[in-house]
Amino acid sequence: MHFLTLSTPDLDAAREFYVRGLGWDPLLDVPGEILFFQTGPGTVLGLFDAGKFAADLGVPDASPARGVTLAHNVDSEEAVRAAVGAMTAAGGTVRTAPRPGAFGGIYHAHVADPNGVVWEIAHNPGWRVDDDGTVHLG
Amino acid sequence: MHFLTLSTPDLDAAREFYVRGLGWDPLLDVPGEILFFQTGPGTVLGLFDAGKFAADLGVPDASPARGVTLAHNVDSEEAVRAAVGAMTAAGGTVRTAPRPGAFGGIYHAHVADPNGVVWEIAHNPGWRVDDDGTVHLG
C-alpha cells in the first residue's frame, strides 16, 4: 500500500490541525484539492477534498471517511497520554480516553481530527519493527 | 502511521479475497476478530470485525469503512490493467475501469474488495521512493 486517501470535507481544518497544530510538514499541499503527508517509509496519507474524492470514484455521495482508524504506536503508557494531550491542544477531540485495550496488553486512546478521522494512539508491547521494516505482532 | 484499521463486516470474505485469491500472507489471523497484513515497511493493515471495531470506539454504529481508498502503485499502464484483472479474478468488483486520472499524468482504476474497501491501482509517473523510504511527488 503506497497511499491511503481519505474523503475530507474540510481541508482547511485538516491543514490547521496537522500542519499548524501538530507541526507536520506536507509532502504536497494543493488548497481546495488535496493535502499529502508522508506517514511512514514509502507510505503517504492523502486528505482529498470530499467532493473531488466522490467524483474520482464516480459516485454521488461525498461522505467523509468513516469506519477507519489510523494508529500511531508509542513507547509507553505515559507517551500515549502525552500524544493525546498534544492532539487535543491542536484541536482534536477525545473519543476514548487512555485505557487498557481488549487484548494484547495494549494501552490506547482514540482522538478524532477536525474531520472526524480517528487516530488510535497506542502502546502495544507485542509490536516491534525490524530495521528493514518487517513488523512482528504478539 | 503504524496501523490502518478498517471496520469489516465480513472477515471470512476478506480472508477469501486477500489470502486465497491474492495470495497475501497474514501477519496474524484471529477468525471472527481481526486479520492483519503488512502492507509496507513498518505499516500494517488490520481488517477488524465491524461490531468489535464499533465497540472498541464506544459507538453503536458498526458501519463498514467508507470514504477511504488504499492505493497500490505499479510501474506501467499495462501493470494497472494486469493488477485489476488479478483482483477481479479473486472476487473484486471494478468501480472505475483503467483510465487517465484528473492530474499528474496518473493512469488508474478502482477495484472494491468484497467488503466494499476500494483499492486504487495506479501508475503515477510523478511518484518515486528513495531507498530509505522517502517519498517524492510530482
Side-chain angles (χ1 to χ4, degrees):
Chain A
M1 184 182 78
H2 301 109
F3 286 76
L4 162 67
T5 305
L6 300 178
S7 174
T8 306
D10 190 339
L11 270 185
D12 292 335
R15 185 182 299 105
E16 189 70 23
F17 178 73
Y18 291 104
V19 181
R20 295 210 187 177
L22 296 178
W24 291 18
D25 186 26
L27 200 54
L28 190 68
D29 181 355
V30 185
E33 191 151 318
I34 199 159
L35 183 57
F36 286 112
F37 298 104
Q38 182 170 340
T39 51
T43 306
V44 172
L45 170 65
L47 303 175
F48 194 15
D49 173 77
K52 293 188 165 70
F53 181 100
D56 208 36
L57 268 176
V59 297
D61 177 22
S63 295
R66 289 296 178 263
V68 46
T69 57
L70 315 181
H72 176 62
N73 289 344
V74 295
D75 285 340
S76 66
E77 298 189 359
E78 189 178 332
V80 171
R81 293 187 291 268
V84 170
M87 294 180 81
T88 307
T93 305
V94 173
R95 290 288 184 85
T96 68
R99 62 177 182 181
F103 57 88
I106 289 172
Y107 181 86
H108 66 167
H110 296 91
V111 185
D113 83 0
N115 285 285
V117 174
V118 178
W119 284 87
E120 178 186 13
I121 309 298
H123 171 55
N124 182 343
W127 169 86
R128 68 186 171 83
V129 182
D130 294 341
D131 287 343
D132 70 357
T134 302
V135 179
H136 302 272
L137 295 176
Chain B
M1 186 182 77
H2 301 107
F3 286 75
L4 162 67
T5 305
L6 300 178
S7 175
T8 305
D10 190 338
L11 270 185
D12 291 335
R15 183 182 301 105
E16 189 70 24
F17 179 73
Y18 291 104
V19 181
R20 293 210 188 177
L22 296 177
W24 291 18
D25 188 24
L27 200 54
L28 191 67
D29 181 355
V30 186
E33 191 151 319
I34 199 160
L35 184 55
F36 287 112
F37 298 104
Q38 181 169 341
T39 52
T43 306
V44 172
L45 170 64
L47 304 175
F48 194 15
D49 172 77
K52 292 189 166 69
F53 180 100
D56 208 37
L57 268 176
V59 296
D61 177 21
S63 295
R66 290 295 179 262
V68 47
T69 58
L70 314 182
H72 176 63
N73 290 345
V74 295
D75 286 340
S76 66
E77 298 189 359
E78 188 179 334
V80 171
R81 294 187 290 268
V84 170
M87 294 178 82
T88 307
T93 305
V94 173
R95 289 287 185 86
T96 68
R99 60 176 183 186
F103 57 88
I106 289 173
Y107 181 86
H108 64 167
H110 295 91
V111 185
D113 83 0
N115 284 284
V117 173
V118 178
W119 283 87
E120 178 186 12
I121 308 298
H123 171 56
N124 182 343
W127 169 85
R128 67 185 171 85
V129 182
D130 293 340
D131 287 343
D132 70 357
T134 302
V135 179
H136 302 270
L137 295 177

